[in-house]
Amino acid sequence: QVQLVESGGGLVQAGGSLRLSCAASGRSFSSYAMGWFRQAPGKEREFVAGIIWSTSRSYYADSMKGRLTISRARAENTVYLQMNSLKPEDTAVYYCAATGPGSSSYDYWGQGTQVTVSS
């Protein structure tokens, strides 16, 4: 079983930055990819960014492209999401997710961390 624990959320003013972290643990953790999703009140959960664990290749949702950087620290089984130039519409609960080895399906999820951007 894989456990994912997010941290780094909080309240920030518009134009500010936050860095989210997600630490993965569990016996023999191995994942094809890890990603970040978000869910704003009254909206569906949406993909934000993802990274292929072995190659560090990253990909982003168009809505936030240019303002995000996803990275990973392989030795620590940790993935980061640097968010810059935040906007009030970025306010949401941000979730970390991981696939199983060789899978493209995000099967493991963290509990989420709240990001609130004030205007």
Side-chain angles (χ1 to χ4, degrees):
Q1 188 72 359
V2 174
Q3 292 84 41
L4 304 175
V5 179
E6 302 101 331
S7 61
L11 174 64
V12 64
Q13 288 188 330
S17 299
L18 280 176
R19 189 175 84 150
L20 306 182
S21 301
C22 174
S25 62
R27 188 176 62 175
S28 300
F29 170 75
S30 178
S31 178
Y32 171 70
M34 291 187 72
W36 289 94
F37 293 73
R38 69 181 183 181
Q39 187 167 20
K43 296 188 177 181
E44 294 187 354
R45 188 175 297 185
E46 64 175 351
F47 170 78
V48 172
I51 187 165
I52 306 299
W53 197 250
S54 60
T55 65
S56 199
R57 179 179 178 181
S58 58
Y59 44 105
Y60 302 94
D62 289 341
S63 60
M64 295 190 75
K65 192 175 290 184
R67 300 190 289 125
L68 300 178
T69 303
I70 188 171
S71 60
R72 58 107 169 95
R74 197 166 185 172
E76 288 78 34
N77 287 343
T78 299
V79 65
Y80 303 97
L81 184 68
Q82 177 69 41
M83 303 188 292
N84 300 321
S85 302
L86 285 164
K87 305 174 183 180
E89 52 264 42
D90 295 321
T91 295
V93 178
Y94 284 71
Y95 296 91
C96 175
T99 71
S103 171
S104 59
S105 174
Y106 286 98
D107 294 325
Y108 305 100
W109 294 84
Q111 81 287 353
T113 185
Q114 177 70 46
V115 171
T116 302
V117 184
S118 63
S119 58

